[in-house]
Amino acid sequence: MSVAIHGTNGVTYNDGTTQATETKILQVVNATQNTEVSTTSSSLVDTGLTATITPSATSSKIVVFYSMPILVQTTDIIQVALIRGSTNILNNVRAMYAQNPSSQQVISNSVLDSPSTTSATTYKIQFSSGGTASSVFAAMWNNENPSSIMLMEVAG
């Protein structure tokens, strides 16, 4: 995940977009999750990692950062999705390779979203196993390395 803040030149996000005016952060919401959730489903399921923000203007942008440790017990393709309300706004698909007998990675990403609302807006992380029905896939949260999501409202 990479974000470069350039004072009055704006913010450059890892997807290449730039907020090219003076950047003003209006509010920040942060949430963490330290409960283990697992799935073998190839359909997206909730991880429990969620945060809600109420934008102060319809022109506001929401910068979403998330980070989630993943433990996979068999080699598999996994999908991690960022959901706003019921809309999938970002997919992160990754091949993970299990070693001795499992492997852990941290999946993180950021996105600049334009929800165009002043209503409370919920962002959540969902995930799935992309492989066969025999795949065993778990997202691991713990106190040393909890999953986190941060929402920042940027003046539009």
Side-chain angles (χ1 to χ4, degrees), residues 8-27:
T8 59
N9 293 329
V11 176
T12 302
Y13 303 93
N14 69 348
D15 65 0
T17 60
T18 300
Q19 178 85 25
T21 61
E22 183 175 343
T23 303
K24 183 176 180 185
I25 305 300
L26 302 176
Q27 63 176 311

Side-chain angles (χ1 to χ4, degrees), residues 142-146:
N142 58 55
N143 291 330
E144 293 81 33
N145 194 15

Side-chain angles (χ1 to χ4, degrees), residues 53-109:
I53 193 166
T54 303
S56 58
T58 57
S59 61
S60 291
K61 309 286 189 214
I62 305 297
V63 183
V64 182
F65 302 96
Y66 70 86
S67 176
M68 185 172 86
I70 298 283
L71 177 72
V72 64
Q73 296 174 332
T74 61
T75 298
D76 204 353
I77 303 293
I78 62 154
Q79 177 181 6
V80 177
L82 173 62
I83 310 295
R84 177 193 357 102
S86 60
T87 303
N88 187 332
I89 62 171
L90 181 68
N91 280 316
N92 194 351
V93 177
R94 189 168 292 175
M96 291 185 65
Y97 301 95
Q99 300 172 3
N100 305 327
S102 59
S103 296
Q104 184 174 347
Q105 295 181 19
V106 175
I107 294 180
S108 60
N109 215 331

Side-chain angles (χ1 to χ4, degrees), residues 29-48:
V29 174
N30 189 60
T32 59
Q33 166 73 305
N34 61 358
T35 303
E36 179 181 321
V37 178
S38 64
T39 187
T40 57
S41 175
S42 60
S43 298
L44 289 169
V45 297
D46 286 342
T47 63

